Amino acid sequence: MTAVAIFGICLSLVALMFLAYRGVNVLLLAPIMATVAVLFSGGHGGLLLGTYTQLFMTELAKYLGKFFPLFMMGALFGKLMDDSGSAKVIAHRIAALTGKNRGILAIVLACGVLTYGGVSLFVVAFAVYPIAKSLFREAEIPKRLIPGAIALGSFTFTMTALPGTPAIQNAIPTAYFGTTPFAAPGLGIIGGLIMFGGGMLWLNRRAAAARAKGEGYGQHDDLEETAHGPAQHAPSFLVALIPIILVIALNYVFTTWVIPAMDTAFLSQPKYGATKLSSVAGIWSIVLAVIVASLFVLLANLKRFANITDTINKGTLGSMLPMLNTASEVGYGGVIASLAAFAVVRDSMTSITTNPVLSIAITVNVLAAITGSASGGLSIALASLGDFYLQMAKAAHVSPEIMHRIASMSSGGFDCMPHNGAVITLLGICGLTHRQSYLDIFVVASVITVVAGIAVIILNAVFGTF
């Protein structure tokens, strides 16, 4: 029976991956695939209904309860930066500073600055793509390399490695390990530099090889879309950049001084979940920093918004689908984790090594690859195994900070499968196919990211957490 149940879990995972790649909405797909797994585990009618309402929806609701403010404020901040013209101003200035002969570097840096400052990667892709077309066409760099450059700047070092990044992938571990978004800062910076340097080396070599073969930008029907400079009513570079600085600086200030100084004894009361400050401080600091930065964008650019009410509404509503998709994947993971057969799968993954850092890296990478989602895979892994890994780390005298950093970095490893929603969206924005550009996305956002994770694990083993 165990073999049949394990087959059911694998079947549901493969079907989830395949159908998501084919475009089926995860909101519908996740509960259906959870039901398939339960059926193979001997489920019946009443159990199926109970599993959906009491397990799937409960896990989904727990995830929303923890991360709803982060998703909503992040999406609103990104929309404010986009509609005010701030995102394009920053991208254009970086492109001007690097020069047309360094088009790849300009796009990677522009995406990196914006995403590290809290702007949604989807907003970044839309804002930077027109600039990338102009730079790549002028420098005769193949258009097929644009998705790789945007992915390197948006999906890698600023998403999971650099300390303090407001990305959801850096916030999730704080709730399980009692850490802050600045966990293991030295190792995170080194990992980020490896991602950046390795990705740039790959993309520049690909561009050089194309140049040697006489391949230029290519024949594409996008001449009419080529980007010009920022509109005359756009904010100055300083005004555009201040919100990015505020997110990073205030995140550190709230984490280090403000929140620890608050009277939070009330959190121990049952009505507040009998929780510890360490479980919520990381999320609080990011949300507060983004709120302040959003208010600055709003007040500094009031006259630049065509319709401020429309911007706010679209920004907040724009967070719903990504958030619910991820929460549905977490609900699916919660159902799978409740099955007796999952204990066998879990034990097989966690027994590969007794090293907690290496073990969590393997588990998160596998689940992120299966779900095609960094935040989804990370959430499933920590929701079902977070306490296990925390105790495993304590027993081995391993710092929770390195557990946080490696868990975060691993979520951005093999998540960039062909069915990854961000990959599909990015290719759609660029008007390119998987056949044309997926290899570069996979190398810079997955292969090199995994290499960076391995390097950080080795450095931590030799020098400790720093």
Side-chain angles (χ1 to χ4, degrees), residues 144-444:
R144 60 184 172 83
L145 296 181
I146 290 178
I150 294 177
L152 176 57
S154 304
F155 299 176
T156 63
F157 55 96
T158 61
M159 187 174 83
T160 64
L162 295 187
T165 174
I168 186 73
Q169 293 80 3
N170 190 42
I172 290 172
T174 65
Y176 297 93
F177 296 126
T179 48
T180 74
F182 294 87
L187 291 171
I189 290 171
I190 292 173
L193 289 173
I194 293 172
M195 294 179 195
F196 173 76
M200 285 299 303
L201 182 63
W202 170 265
L203 291 174
N204 283 330
R205 287 197 171 185
R206 292 277 284 173
R211 193 177 301 114
K213 292 188 294 186
E215 180 184 356
Y217 180 78
Q219 297 297 319
H220 302 281
D221 297 328
D222 56 15
L223 277 171
E224 74 284 356
E225 301 172 4
T226 300
H228 302 288
Q232 290 184 352
H233 70 283
S236 67
F237 178 67
L238 179 61
V239 171
L241 190 62
I242 286 176
I244 302 294
I245 297 172
L246 283 175
V247 170
I248 299 168
L250 290 179
N251 188 9
Y252 183 78
V253 170
F254 286 129
T255 297
T256 308
W257 295 298
V258 177
I259 292 177
M262 291 179 176
D263 179 9
T264 55
F266 65 89
L267 288 174
S268 61
Q269 298 175 26
K271 69 177 181 179
Y272 293 103
T275 190
K276 296 179 180 179
L277 177 62
S278 58
S279 298
V280 295
I283 297 171
W284 285 6
S285 64
I286 294 175
V287 170
L288 285 173
V290 174
I291 287 174
V292 174
S294 297
L295 288 173
F296 178 87
V297 179
L298 184 61
L299 296 175
N301 298 280
L302 272 177
K303 295 181 180 179
R304 297 186 178 96
F305 291 105
N307 186 329
I308 188 60
T309 302
D310 187 58
T311 293
I312 292 173
N313 288 342
K314 286 183 177 178
T316 51
L317 292 175
S319 68
M320 298 302 161
L321 185 57
M323 177 171 53
L324 289 173
N325 280 340
T326 303
S328 292
E329 290 175 343
V330 172
Y332 166 82
V335 172
I336 298 299
S338 73
L339 301 177
F342 178 75
V344 178
V345 178
R346 179 195 64 201
D347 292 344
S348 66
M349 283 195 297
T350 57
S351 64
I352 294 174
T353 175
T354 57
N355 184 318
V357 180
L358 187 57
S359 181
I360 198 171
I362 293 170
T363 301
V364 173
N365 263 300
V366 169
L367 290 174
I370 290 170
T371 60
S373 168
S375 56
L378 180 60
S379 297
I380 291 170
L382 295 185
S384 58
L385 296 168
D387 289 339
F388 168 81
Y389 277 123
L390 182 59
Q391 297 306 316
M392 189 179 181
K394 288 180 178 178
H397 303 290
V398 170
S399 169
E401 291 204 2
I402 189 60
M403 297 295 288
H404 170 135
R405 187 54 54 209
I406 287 299
S408 180
M409 291 176 65
S410 298
S411 74
F414 287 125
D415 68 310
C416 278
M417 294 291 104
H419 61 290
N420 178 287
V423 170
I424 294 171
T425 300
L426 176 58
L427 291 172
I429 291 170
C430 296
L432 295 165
T433 65
H434 281 77
R435 184 187 296 273
Q436 292 170 304
S437 299
Y438 178 68
L439 173 63
D440 299 300
I441 296 174
F442 181 72
V443 171
V444 302

Side-chain angles (χ1 to χ4, degrees), residues 15-26 29 371 419 424:
L16 176 65
M17 187 164 50
F18 174 76
L19 293 173
Y21 174 72
R22 300 289 295 179
V24 180
N25 194 299
V26 175
L29 190 58
T371 60
H419 61 290
I424 294 171

